[in-house]
Amino acid sequence: MNAPDAMSIRHAVVAAMPLAEKLFTILRRSTTAGAGVSRESYGPGEQIAHDLAAQFAREQGLDCAIDPAGNLYLTLRGRDASLPAWITGSHLDSVPEGGNFDGAAGVIAGLVVAAGLRRAGIVPARDITVMAVRAEEASSWFAGSHQGHIGSRAALGMLEPQELSGAVHSRDGRTLGEHMREAGFDPIAIRGADPYLTPERFHGYLELHIEQGPVLENIGKPAGIVTGIRGSSRARNARCIGAYSHSGAVPREYRSDAVLATAALCTLLDDAWSEMQAAGADLVFTVGKLCTDPDAHGITKVPGETRFTIDLRSQEIETLEAMTARARAIADEIGRERRVTFDLGKFDLSAPARMDAGLQEALAEGANALGIDAPALPSGAGHDAQDFAHAGFRAGMIFVRNANGSHNPHEAMAMEDFCLGTQLLAWMLVR
Amino acid sequence: MNAPDAMSIRHAVVAAMPLAEKLFTILRRSTTAGAGVSRESYGPGEQIAHDLAAQFAREQGLDCAIDPAGNLYLTLRGRDASLPAWITGSHLDSVPEGGNFDGAAGVIAGLVVAAGLRRAGIVPARDITVMAVRAEEASSWFAGSHQGHIGSRAALGMLEPQELSGAVHSRDGRTLGEHMREAGFDPIAIRGADPYLTPERFHGYLELHIEQGPVLENIGKPAGIVTGIRGSSRARNARCIGAYSHSGAVPREYRSDAVLATAALCTLLDDAWSEMQAAGADLVFTVGKLCTDPDAHGITKVPGETRFTIDLRSQEIETLEAMTARARAIADEIGRERRVTFDLGKFDLSAPARMDAGLQEALAEGANALGIDAPALPSGAGHDAQDFAHAGFRAGMIFVRNANGSHNPHEAMAMEDFCLGTQLLAWMLVR
């Protein structure tokens, strides 16, 4: 039996769209808290979302499984159980007062594909497992020492045991392990066990997600095919140490002005960013936090200290390394010129993840067959897909256009765009 | 009776120096908070200093008076009560975590002159009133709309009534008027009344102050005679408004990054400063406070807002006006280029003040008589003396050498230098 044609897939997905709308509505209604939705990692909102997904799956005749970290696996059986299965999904937690679509859209897309295929009588070649991932947004709920993306990394054997005790809840101070156990899961089993998911058992990982940047919105395209996920190099505790002195009485040549030195650093790194981008590098550069010392600064004092952060992101590890080195070199040079000392501290490096080239080609082919104008673009934000790629899975991502960014209550994904992205996902999953 | 000779004056002052050392020590000990001393304008530290001065004055038999703004007047009676009195002094408040000498040295010098003359049996020709001024450093404690130098300007009838409500405490948000009232004084009386001090009632105003710049230290002179005081043009509540967005997902061309825009403004104004200075202008430029919003910023967010201050100082009013105009023009240009809006707010202009030529001559004569090498130099910092000059008083200033600048805990004035400066002050006051 050949794979079904684009027309059949479109019909199957369009027919299932009312189910998606219903799921989004119930999910929003049952997890709204404050201005947006709040589905706390290993908290009540996330559990509501998992229960909703499991109930839907049972109604649609999918198999259900849960791993020791609480990730949910909902499987539509294919024709040949001996073939490695597709795995598709995303996370169901959110940031505090976030939007309804960030994460959930990928799980609902997978469920709607399974439901739509089943209702249309289309049996896929191989099993399709929809994974509802836990705690991708853990960095917004747990402080302390951990790398985030808890659910996917636990399933893939990438969670370090010390993260279970090192991640500490921002509000109640208890550890990630305790929260996991109270939510009904088994942190001890995660520590010793072989990975729950291994690349050889799967055909690949596909994730549909809203775009968190403005690119598709601005170029007027409903969906995109992700080329890779940017890695990051981050200085969380950078400082510039100068010397406080009188703003009126000290001549220029005797000053050690931390603000003008930091401004010079920002300006020169901004210039370096322009240059590197013009030379073809993929890069964004952000100083998200910058402050003089509220206990010591004053309008009439030459500022003696600044504290700031640097966030560099790129799809190319060489670009991250080059820009990090550039930051250190420029800081040293400015330090000498301006009689200040920069202490940029440690840069935390998170490696970029390339999406599988074969999957990108197949996605482009599918978009073409379905008549969807889906350009290639990088992902600036992190996603569960990066962990699958780092674990050796073939990984691919579909972005759906979304106005107003994410991590805020104003996310705006049109259901028409979601429907097109879900068709493309279905086209891949029946192959 | 002729004025006493230089030798008598030196002996009187030298003999009173242990009193000065004791006052400095008690003052430091009783107002230390954090790394330095904190004598908040109309706050507890300033009050401790005033109580200490009043107690010392009572012990030395000086008359005490307090005006509605809380300025303290401690008077040694002279031979002829019909002659206009000398007034000498400075302020007793400090910046947060500042040094012990900025301001206090001028009050203690006046008190020590009075005590020393009295102990030596020298009766001055005219009354000598030592004034302990309130809230000269108000700009470091009160934000909002005010011109600083609250105490001297209130006494001289130069405080605008709206400053009492427009100056808002940086920490508790209450007005200057409320703080003044809670400290025990009478803001309502200030509003309507005639000036407490008028030039025709006084022979002149003399202020001893540590040099807040490094000039005397660098040229190796113990004291200096001030020629004039730089004016200032200050933006107290400047802002840059951009837009918060995802630091990984939003490309350069869609960003409205408030930090990089503010850094560009600082860097271009730094360049403008260099140019104007090279062209012979007298100018210093300081951004003493610069912060992203602690409630909204994050390492993974493009910053949507900064708040900052600008302090320009010059002996030339034209230079202040030119640099202020330059700041506005550059901000507009960067705003257009970088999709942000600068709101620099109002620039408060304080005119430069010339010290009285006759008093400068008399000071030079006194320095010569006392064998003190005291060159003429301008003051980069603002002082209460400028308000007296603006109000029509003959005003003069003595600078005492001071290492490490001021407005920081590391001010270093040698008592030997203070003693020489105080001798020069005494020489003037007995005339």
Side-chain angles (χ1 to χ4, degrees):
Chain A
M1 179 179 161
N2 288 330
D5 61 15
M7 181 76 80
S8 314
I9 287 168
R10 182 181 307 133
H11 283 319
V13 169
V14 168
M17 268 303 115
L19 297 174
E21 295 195 41
K22 196 173 154 193
L23 281 171
F24 279 125
T25 302
I26 298 173
L27 187 57
R28 180 192 301 276
R29 198 178 292 148
S30 56
T31 59
T32 291
V37 304
S38 286
R39 303 195 281 258
E40 183 177 335
S41 310
Y42 292 106
E46 188 189 54
Q47 189 58 48
I48 287 169
H50 276 249
D51 292 345
L52 196 64
Q55 186 194 329
F56 180 87
R58 278 192 298 274
E59 288 164 6
Q60 300 298 325
L62 310 183
D63 295 348
C64 288
I66 297 177
D67 74 15
N71 298 299
L72 184 63
Y73 302 90
L74 308 165
T75 300
L76 176 70
R77 293 293 163 203
R79 291 194 302 277
D80 187 346
S82 73
L83 291 177
W86 274 115
I87 186 162
T88 184
S90 191
H91 60 97
L92 285 179
D93 63 334
S94 75
V95 300
E97 302 198 11
N100 200 37
F101 301 124
D102 182 347
V107 178
I108 291 179
L111 291 173
V112 162
V113 169
L117 294 177
R118 192 166 155 276
R119 288 168 165 223
I122 301 172
V123 181
R126 58 186 77 238
D127 287 0
I128 297 172
T129 293
V130 181
M131 179 178 180
V133 181
R134 289 271 174 184
E136 195 263 356
E137 306 282 14
S139 298
S140 294
W141 302 100
F142 289 89
S145 169
H146 70 97
Q147 307 285 319
H149 292 205
I150 303 301
S152 54
R153 292 175 53 245
L156 294 162
M158 293 160 69
L159 193 77
E160 302 291 336
Q162 60 268 29
E163 292 178 74
L164 291 164
S165 51
V168 172
H169 197 277
S170 308
R171 211 174 44 237
D172 66 27
R174 286 176 307 128
T175 67
L176 173 62
E178 290 175 272
H179 276 269
M180 216 181 253
R181 191 163 46 241
E182 279 162 33
F185 310 112
D186 191 353
I188 293 167
I190 297 167
R191 301 175 85 107
D194 290 334
Y196 193 82
L197 301 175
T198 51
E200 60 280 6
R201 286 174 42 224
F202 292 93
H203 192 54
Y205 173 83
L206 290 170
E207 180 170 1
L208 177 147
H209 201 284
I210 55 168
E211 195 216 345
Q212 291 168 273
V215 177
L216 295 172
E217 177 76 12
N218 278 290
I219 62 176
K221 309 288 183 186
I225 297 165
V226 176
T227 53
I229 298 173
R230 284 179 175 145
S232 62
S233 175
R234 289 184 192 158
R236 295 174 192 277
N237 298 300
R239 295 198 306 162
C240 177
I241 307 297
Y244 290 102
S245 59
H246 193 287
S247 68
V250 179
R252 183 180 179 91
E253 57 274 24
Y254 295 116
R255 293 181 175 218
S256 298
D257 185 322
V259 163
L260 293 185
T262 306
L265 177 67
C266 290
T267 299
L268 289 172
L269 286 174
D270 192 26
D271 293 345
W273 176 18
S274 286
E275 277 168 35
M276 290 172 83
Q277 193 166 289
D282 175 66
L283 181 65
V284 285
F285 158 63
T286 309
V287 174
K289 300 163 76 169
L290 167 58
C291 283
T292 46
D293 180 353
D295 294 330
H297 69 187
I299 184 172
T300 59
K301 280 164 107 169
V302 175
E305 182 174 356
T306 63
R307 289 171 182 262
F308 57 101
T309 61
I310 297 175
D311 184 22
L312 304 169
R313 311 251 195 147
S314 175
Q315 292 189 80
E316 306 122 16
I317 189 121
E318 317 76 48
T319 300
L320 292 176
E321 288 169 348
M323 188 70 170
T324 303
R326 194 95 173 241
R328 292 208 186 277
I330 291 174
D332 286 350
E333 192 185 319
I334 294 172
R336 279 191 301 275
E337 279 170 11
R338 289 179 174 267
R339 301 166 297 280
V340 299
T341 305
F342 280 99
D343 173 10
L344 300 184
K346 184 168 158 281
F347 278 81
D348 291 328
L349 187 70
S350 158
R354 290 202 181 282
M355 297 295 96
D356 182 75
L359 293 185
Q360 287 184 62
E361 267 176 48
L363 282 161
E365 197 185 313
N368 189 48
L370 290 158
I372 301 167
D373 190 359
L377 80 172
S379 172
H383 295 288
D384 292 307
Q386 77 197 47
D387 308 306
F388 283 86
H390 287 149
F393 282 65
R394 301 195 310 152
M397 282 194 83
I398 299 164
F399 266 177
V400 178
R401 171 168 55 188
N402 161 51
N404 308 330
S406 80
H407 288 193
N408 74 64
H410 310 297
E411 288 177 358
M413 175 187 74
M415 287 310 292
E416 294 72 21
D417 294 341
F418 176 73
C419 181
L420 294 176
T422 305
Q423 289 172 37
L424 182 53
L425 180 66
W427 193 91
M428 291 292 287
L429 294 174
V430 296
R431 245 124 211 96
Chain B
M1 181 177 158
N2 287 329
D5 61 16
M7 181 75 81
S8 314
I9 288 167
R10 183 181 305 133
H11 284 320
V13 170
V14 168
M17 270 301 115
L19 297 174
E21 294 195 41
K22 196 173 157 195
L23 281 171
F24 280 125
T25 302
I26 298 173
L27 187 57
R28 181 193 300 278
R29 198 179 290 149
S30 55
T31 60
T32 290
V37 305
S38 286
R39 303 196 278 257
E40 184 177 336
S41 310
Y42 292 105
E46 188 189 52
Q47 189 58 49
I48 288 168
H50 277 249
D51 291 345
L52 195 62
Q55 186 194 329
F56 179 86
R58 278 190 298 271
E59 288 165 6
Q60 301 298 326
L62 309 184
D63 294 346
C64 288
I66 297 177
D67 73 15
N71 298 299
L72 185 62
Y73 303 89
L74 308 165
T75 300
L76 176 70
R77 293 293 162 203
R79 290 194 301 277
D80 185 349
S82 72
L83 291 178
W86 273 116
I87 186 161
T88 184
S90 191
H91 59 97
L92 284 179
D93 62 334
S94 75
V95 300
E97 302 197 13
N100 200 37
F101 301 122
D102 182 347
V107 178
I108 292 178
L111 290 174
V112 161
V113 168
L117 294 178
R118 194 167 155 275
R119 289 169 166 222
I122 301 173
V123 181
R126 57 187 78 235
D127 287 1
I128 298 172
T129 293
V130 180
M131 178 177 179
V133 182
R134 288 271 173 184
E136 196 263 357
E137 304 284 12
S139 298
S140 295
W141 303 100
F142 288 88
S145 169
H146 70 98
Q147 309 283 319
H149 292 205
I150 302 301
S152 54
R153 291 175 54 247
L156 293 162
M158 296 160 68
L159 192 75
E160 301 291 337
Q162 60 266 31
E163 293 178 72
L164 290 165
S165 50
V168 172
H169 196 276
S170 308
R171 211 174 46 236
D172 67 27
R174 285 176 308 128
T175 66
L176 172 62
E178 290 174 272
H179 277 269
M180 216 182 253
R181 191 163 45 241
E182 278 162 33
F185 309 114
D186 190 354
I188 292 167
I190 298 168
R191 301 173 86 108
D194 291 334
Y196 194 83
L197 301 176
T198 50
E200 60 279 6
R201 287 175 41 227
F202 292 94
H203 191 54
Y205 174 83
L206 289 171
E207 181 169 359
L208 176 148
H209 202 284
I210 55 168
E211 196 216 348
Q212 293 168 272
V215 177
L216 294 173
E217 176 74 13
N218 278 289
I219 62 176
K221 308 288 181 187
I225 297 165
V226 176
T227 54
I229 298 173
R230 280 182 178 147
S232 63
S233 175
R234 290 186 191 159
R236 296 172 192 276
N237 298 298
R239 294 199 306 163
C240 176
I241 307 297
Y244 289 102
S245 58
H246 193 291
S247 69
V250 179
R252 181 181 181 91
E253 57 272 26
Y254 296 118
R255 293 180 175 219
S256 297
D257 184 321
V259 163
L260 293 186
T262 306
L265 177 68
C266 290
T267 299
L268 289 173
L269 286 175
D270 191 26
D271 294 346
W273 175 19
S274 286
E275 279 167 33
M276 290 171 81
Q277 193 166 291
D282 175 65
L283 181 66
V284 285
F285 159 63
T286 308
V287 174
K289 301 162 76 168
L290 167 59
C291 282
T292 46
D293 180 354
D295 293 330
H297 70 187
I299 184 171
T300 61
K301 280 165 110 168
V302 175
E305 183 174 354
T306 62
R307 289 170 182 263
F308 57 101
T309 61
I310 296 175
D311 184 21
L312 304 169
R313 312 253 194 147
S314 175
Q315 292 189 81
E316 305 123 14
I317 189 121
E318 318 76 47
T319 299
L320 293 176
E321 288 168 348
M323 187 70 170
T324 302
R326 194 96 174 239
R328 293 209 185 274
I330 292 174
D332 286 350
E333 191 186 318
I334 294 173
R336 280 192 301 275
E337 279 170 10
R338 291 180 173 266
R339 300 167 297 279
V340 299
T341 305
F342 279 100
D343 173 11
L344 300 184
K346 184 167 157 285
F347 278 81
D348 291 328
L349 186 70
S350 159
R354 292 203 181 283
M355 295 296 96
D356 181 76
L359 292 185
Q360 287 183 59
E361 267 175 50
L363 283 161
E365 197 185 313
N368 189 48
L370 290 157
I372 301 168
D373 190 0
L377 80 169
S379 171
H383 294 287
D384 293 305
Q386 77 197 46
D387 307 306
F388 283 85
H390 288 148
F393 282 65
R394 302 196 308 153
M397 284 195 80
I398 298 163
F399 267 177
V400 178
R401 171 166 56 187
N402 161 50
N404 308 328
S406 81
H407 289 191
N408 75 65
H410 311 296
E411 286 177 359
M413 174 187 73
M415 287 310 291
E416 292 72 21
D417 293 342
F418 175 74
C419 182
L420 294 177
T422 304
Q423 289 172 37
L424 182 52
L425 180 66
W427 192 91
M428 291 291 285
L429 294 174
V430 295
R431 245 126 213 98

